[in-house]
Each structure stands twice: as structure tokens, then as C-alpha cells.
Amino acid sequence: MNTRKVRLIQTAQHTTDRLTEQAPLIFKKDDQGVENKLLLIYDDLTYQEIIGFGGAITEASAVTAAKLSEGNQQQIINAYYDADQGIGYTLCRTHINSCDFSLGNYTYVEDGDESLASFDISRDKQALIPYIQQAAAKTGSNFKLYATPWSPPAWMKTNGEMNNGGKLKPEFRHAWAKYYVKFIQAYEELGLPIWGLTVQNEAKASQIWDSCIYTAEEERDFVRDYLGPALKAADLTRIRLMVWDHNKERVYDRAKTAYLDPDAAKYIWGIGFHWYSGDHFESLSAVHDRFPDKGLMFTEGCHEGGVQLGSWRSGERYAHDIIGNLNNWMNGWTDWNIVLDEQGGPNHVGNYCDAPIIADTTTDSITYQSSYYYIGHFSKYIRPGAVRVGCSKYTDKLETTAFKNIDGTLAVVVLNRSDEDETYILSHLSELAEVTIPAHGIQTLLFPSKT
């Protein structure tokens, strides 16, 4: 029998460990039938496949990066999208028209142009598209870009503005559906294939920034009667279309409304969700159990309230949510802005947030937050195509998830949000390895799936 080693990568608050590889552990035979402190891995039980992990490149992120030296601009791309030097992102979300993390409201057409003859993405070409192109070049064939509108043009809406909610006027549903197609075609002409679309960012939220409201029925009908047919007519049925794109507490209800209409459901790949209303992990399993052929994509989450340099809570919040989502059938995960400036912007309505990398544009320096390292414990080691496998643990002090990568490597992530170190015994194929995880620490354990 070959001796199996366990690679151990660790990040912990009261140490210098930041995605730091520790001395390897050695599996030993479980001759005594150990019963206590076990973390057991059952890799003959398999669940969902992972598409990938990633973040959003917004105009705010691109403009912030552009204010830095070329070296720091590239360092940010490498930190995220390089699988060896960085944390191996493969997903990227961006916005159709402006969002709050733009420098201001903008669209791609002139007012009242229902024919869309004036459609022009020149604004995106200034900073946004070049930075997305850098990420795509670094990632290679695994790169998957998807796009989300925050609001149609003001003249298409009931309130006559892009901000403060409002709804899409019925007479412009056809033109708005064609708008998505125009966007896809324009980006693809620049060598940026679009992998997916969400219908509307936060379809229930009337925000002081770019926003638009759809009831579940309105979104279903728009997909069924307008957007789905427009994509089909343009030979774009390969686009993964996602509904909802809002918090988890309504994810089951919104999925049910969309999916129980077969004429709408045939166009819909899955449902997108955010984290801002709490865990609601069970809601994801409810969707999967009722509609097992549909995808579940985390499309946005961030630490609100502006920059919080040095916060450890943000990293733990990310890891807790990622583990809970993964263990309830999530297929892919996308953070919000990949980088923001020292204020947590720019944001055209002052809705400042934190990000895993913060750039100080006055000193040309970048700071890696705890969230960057915590996310990396998943994205760097749970690779596209990995499949979740069974695991169980002896205590609620630890949060865990486990995956088998395409190469047969098992990746187990263990989170300890408590104030005390915790010792556990990793168990797989009747072999054991004893591990201690520090207080407020996270570990990824990597080992071959066969002895």
C-alpha cells in the first residue's frame, strides 16, 4: 500500500499564515476503529458539479485599477485569475448599462431609439472591456463571462429614470429583449464570448441606484414571450439564462413560478442568488429537490458599509456562506467587485462597500483583505468540473465541505470561527490523519482519492 500524504494549506487570524502551505500530514491505518473527533469523507457519494468561482469586473473596478501602475494592475489580475500565482478565478460577472458601481448612469442607445440603431458600447471600451480582456487572457479557455442589467434606459421605464426602481413599460419589452442580444453580439465581436445572462439584478429591490422591478410572473412572462425567443432567433440558445438574481429567502418561490411554466422554463438554465437577507441555505436544497435539472449560481455578495481594512469577520462571513451554499447544491460562485478604491468605490450614489482587494489610488498600493484568502481556500483548490462528495463532522464548531477534482484529488475545506483551536481526525478509506486548526482559521486539505 502506498503511503498517502495530505497537503495542508492554512489561513489563520493570529498567525502569519495566508494561504500558507504547512508540513504535509501522513495518513495512518485506522487499526483501532477510532470513533471520536472524526471528519469523515465519503467520496463514493457524489452530488453537484462545480462550474467555477469568480468575481465581478465593474466600471468601478476597472477605473480603480487604471489609476494604479501597470504592475499593480497586472498584480490584481494575477491575484485572481492566475491558477498558480493567484486563486484561480474562472468566472466573471459584469453589467449591461450602468450599475451603482459605475461612475454614473449610462446606456448604449440614444433616448427614444426603439430600433436600437444607435447601440454603441464605446463607454465600456474605455476601461471596463480592456480589464475584462486581461482577465480572460490570463484565465484561458476556462473563462466564463456573464452579464446582468441593473436597469433599462430611463425612457423604457414607468418612472422615467434608471434609478429608484420603476418597471419596464410593456410596449418596450420587445426592444429590451433585443437589447440583450445586441450586447452579446457587441462583446463577442471584441473576442469576449458571453457564457450567461441574468434577467435583472435584484428584481425585487427599488434602490436609489440603477434598479428595475419585476414580479415573479412579470419576469417569467418576459423570458417566455420576449427574451427567450429573442435569444433563440439570434441563435443564442447556448446562453445560460438565469432568473431572480436576488436574495435567497425568495429563491424557491421565484424558481417555482418560472419553472412550472414549461414554455418559460425551456429557456432558463437556472437561478441566481445573493446573500444579503441571511443564510437560507435550505432554500437552495428546496429548489434543487424540486427542480434537479436547474442550476444554482451565487451571483453577488459583498461586505457592506465601505472599506474595513483588516476585518477578519469579512473572510469568515464569505467562507461560512460558501460552505453552506456548496453543501446545498450551488454550482458556481461569484463575488461582487474584484477591487475597489480606498473609499470602497467609486459608486455614483455613495453605496460604498468592501472588496477582497482594496487599492489606494493616492499611494499606488494594494491591500489584500481576509476575504481574499478565505475565498482562495475554495477557488484555488476546488477546480471547474470538481464534484461534491459526502462528508460528516463531529462538532458544529467546524464547518466543512469536500470535493473530488477531475484529477482525482480530494479537496476538503475546514472552517473554524470559534475562539479556540480545534483538533480533528481526517478519516478516509479507513485511514486517519490528525489535524489541529487554529482559532479563527480556515484550512484546505488535499490528498489522493485512492490508496
Side-chain angles (χ1 to χ4, degrees), residues 51 53-57 90-96 132 143-150 183 187 193-198 239-240 242 245 272-274 297-300 332-336:
I51 296 166
F53 295 82
I57 298 181
T90 58
L91 293 178
C92 180
R93 183 189 188 212
T94 197
H95 44 91
I96 299 171
I132 296 173
F143 188 74
K144 291 179 172 62
L145 174 65
Y146 70 97
T148 300
W150 267 244
F183 173 88
Y187 266 61
I194 301 298
W195 176 85
L197 286 174
T198 72
I239 300 293
R240 285 76 170 177
M242 292 169 270
D245 201 2
F273 57 92
H274 303 178
M297 175 72 79
F298 182 88
T299 49
E300 184 188 313
W333 184 90
T334 322
D335 189 23
W336 194 201

Side-chain angles (χ1 to χ4, degrees), residues 60 64 67 307 339-347 352-353 357-361:
T64 295
K67 294 178 179 177
V307 175
V339 61
L340 293 173
D341 67 18
E342 58 274 15
Q343 192 172 17
N347 184 291
Y352 301 118
C353 295
I357 295 179
I358 295 297
D360 190 324
T361 58

Side-chain angles (χ1 to χ4, degrees), residues 275-291:
W275 73 3
Y276 302 109
S277 64
D279 288 349
H280 292 288
F281 300 133
E282 298 84 357
S283 68
L284 303 182
S285 278
V287 173
H288 173 268
D289 292 348
R290 184 78 183 270
F291 307 103

Side-chain angles (χ1 to χ4, degrees), residues 162-180:
M162 294 185 74
N163 303 338
N164 298 302
K167 292 191 173 189
L168 176 67
K169 290 181 177 180
E171 61 265 34
F172 293 124
R173 289 178 296 191
H174 180 68
W176 183 230
K178 289 180 64 179
Y179 204 102
Y180 296 76

Side-chain angles (χ1 to χ4, degrees), residues 406-419:
I406 291 174
D407 66 0
T409 300
L410 289 167
V412 180
V413 182
V414 183
L415 172 67
N416 177 11
R417 293 191 292 162
S418 77
D419 295 330

Side-chain angles (χ1 to χ4, degrees), residues 309-310 339 355-360 365-369 372-373:
L309 288 180
V339 61
I357 295 179
I358 295 297
D360 190 324
S365 60
I366 57 179
T367 299
Y368 292 84
Q369 300 278 64
Y372 172 83
Y373 300 104

Side-chain angles (χ1 to χ4, degrees), residues 353-400:
C353 295
D354 207 348
I357 295 179
I358 295 297
D360 190 324
T361 58
T362 63
T363 62
D364 187 27
S365 60
I366 57 179
T367 299
Y368 292 84
Q369 300 278 64
S370 64
S371 51
Y372 172 83
Y373 300 104
Y374 272 68
I375 294 165
H377 276 270
F378 303 89
S379 60
K380 189 174 178 67
Y381 303 108
I382 300 171
R383 302 304 298 156
V387 176
R388 182 166 65 92
V389 300
C391 66
S392 67
K393 55 186 172 57
Y394 72 98
T395 177
D396 287 339
K397 293 179 181 178
L398 302 179
E399 301 169 54
T400 65

Side-chain angles (χ1 to χ4, degrees), residues 4-290:
R4 287 194 300 164
K5 292 184 178 180
V6 181
R7 290 179 60 200
L8 175 60
I9 295 90
Q10 180 170 286
T11 297
Q13 182 175 19
H14 302 298
T15 72
T16 58
D17 292 339
R18 302 293 183 268
L19 283 170
T20 303
E21 187 144 3
Q22 311 294 303
L25 307 171
I26 306 296
F27 270 118
K28 298 178 181 179
K29 193 69 179 173
D30 182 14
D31 294 322
Q32 305 301 316
V34 170
E35 298 179 358
N36 298 317
K37 288 187 170 289
L38 290 174
L39 193 165
L40 300 114
I41 307 301
Y42 315 115
D43 64 316
D44 56 339
L45 290 174
T46 57
Y47 303 94
Q48 82 274 23
E49 182 177 315
I50 287 299
I51 296 166
F53 295 82
I57 298 181
T58 59
E59 185 176 56
S61 289
V63 167
T64 295
K67 294 178 179 177
L68 304 174
S69 62
E70 287 188 16
N72 276 337
Q73 292 179 43
Q74 191 60 52
Q75 184 182 152
I76 294 166
I77 293 294
N78 291 344
Y80 282 116
Y81 288 96
D82 190 299
D84 296 319
Q85 297 179 46
I87 59 175
Y89 274 9
T90 58
L91 293 178
C92 180
R93 183 189 188 212
T94 197
H95 44 91
I96 299 171
N97 293 330
S98 56
C99 66
D100 54 323
F101 281 92
S102 299
L103 303 189
N105 295 130
Y106 71 89
T107 72
Y108 306 126
V109 296
E110 296 173 0
D111 285 355
D113 179 15
E114 190 173 351
S115 71
L116 309 184
S118 60
F119 195 92
D120 183 3
I121 60 167
S122 294
R123 169 74 172 253
D124 290 1
K125 291 178 181 178
Q126 295 172 21
L128 179 59
I129 286 173
Y131 215 47
I132 296 173
Q133 289 172 327
Q134 287 189 51
K138 179 59 62 175
T139 306
S141 60
N142 279 333
F143 188 74
K144 291 179 172 62
L145 174 65
Y146 70 97
T148 300
W150 267 244
S151 174
W155 53 269
M156 289 189 183
K157 295 176 64 185
T158 57
N159 66 344
E161 60 173 317
M162 294 185 74
N163 303 338
N164 298 302
K167 292 191 173 189
L168 176 67
K169 290 181 177 180
E171 61 265 34
F172 293 124
R173 289 178 296 191
H174 180 68
W176 183 230
K178 289 180 64 179
Y179 204 102
Y180 296 76
V181 172
K182 287 273 195 180
F183 173 88
I184 294 168
Q185 292 169 339
Y187 266 61
E188 294 193 345
E189 285 177 4
L190 298 176
L192 287 174
I194 301 298
W195 176 85
L197 286 174
T198 72
V199 178
Q200 168 64 43
N201 178 71
E202 298 187 345
K204 186 173 171 281
S206 179
Q207 307 282 24
I208 62 170
W209 54 86
D210 320 62
S211 46
C212 185
I213 305 300
Y214 291 81
T215 66
E217 293 76 18
E218 287 167 343
E219 186 176 37
R220 175 201 64 199
D221 295 352
F222 177 65
V223 167
R224 183 191 64 208
D225 301 333
Y226 297 93
L227 182 54
L231 292 170
K232 183 178 180 180
D235 195 25
L236 291 172
T237 54
R238 61 175 171 78
I239 300 293
R240 285 76 170 177
L241 187 60
M242 292 169 270
V243 295
W244 187 223
D245 201 2
H246 203 172
N247 293 324
K248 283 178 275 184
E249 92 288 341
R250 294 284 183 271
V251 73
Y252 180 73
D253 294 337
R254 297 292 290 221
K256 191 165 61 170
T257 298
Y259 299 158
L260 290 179
D261 184 327
D263 292 327
K266 68 183 180 183
Y267 296 117
I268 303 169
W269 174 83
I271 194 161
F273 57 92
H274 303 178
W275 73 3
Y276 302 109
S277 64
D279 288 349
H280 292 288
F281 300 133
E282 298 84 357
S283 68
L284 303 182
S285 278
V287 173
H288 173 268
D289 292 348
R290 184 78 183 270

